[in-house]
Amino acid sequence: MVAAGRGNLLASRLIHRAHAEAGWHLYAPTCALVEADRARPGTAEHIAVLPGITVVDLDLPAALALARETTWATAHTRHTALPTPERPDGAVIDTAAPDQRAGQPVRILDLT
């Protein structure tokens, strides 16, 4: 989210695609929105109003996952990317810091 706020071309393309093409979805975990806004004030408001982006609430299963990670944003993002009945293959985490996700059971798209 911070990468998009800083003008990352790949992040911008993903946001545009989620808005313009059916079947493309971007998810913004609430805890990651908070951390992004702390790193770059104004990011949360900007991301939350973009068409094509679904803000993912912190539900009970996600809250229980928080205890297993070092940050709330990492835990909520990982939890959001795991397979669900709606997304049997899970979701891909788009990040400019892929090394932070090493060893996690999720797919990564490196925005760098």
Side-chain angles (χ1 to χ4, degrees), residues 37-98:
D37 202 69
R38 288 179 178 164
R40 192 169 204 278
T43 300
E45 291 87 357
H46 178 71
I47 295 293
V49 299
L50 289 172
I53 295 183
T54 301
V55 176
V56 180
D57 293 331
L58 182 63
D59 60 6
L60 180 57
L64 296 174
L66 295 179
R68 293 183 225 125
E69 297 289 342
T70 55
T71 71
W72 286 33
T74 300
H76 200 192
T77 301
R78 182 184 54 77
H79 178 76
T80 301
L82 292 175
T84 65
E86 298 84 29
R87 294 183 312 274
D89 294 329
V92 177
I93 297 175
D94 308 329
T95 180

Side-chain angles (χ1 to χ4, degrees), residues 1 3-4 8-11 14 93-98 108-112:
M1 290 179 240
N8 181 288
L9 183 60
L10 292 174
L14 288 170
I93 297 175
D94 308 329
T95 180
I108 301 295
L109 175 64
D110 186 350
L111 295 177
T112 61

Side-chain angles (χ1 to χ4, degrees), residues 3-54:
R6 290 187 175 143
N8 181 288
L9 183 60
L10 292 174
S12 295
R13 286 181 181 172
L14 288 170
I15 292 168
H16 173 72
R17 215 157 181 185
H19 173 65
E21 292 186 33
W24 275 79
H25 305 280
L26 290 178
Y27 303 98
T30 304
C31 293
L33 271 177
V34 170
E35 193 167 304
D37 202 69
R38 288 179 178 164
R40 192 169 204 278
T43 300
E45 291 87 357
H46 178 71
I47 295 293
V49 299
L50 289 172
I53 295 183
T54 301

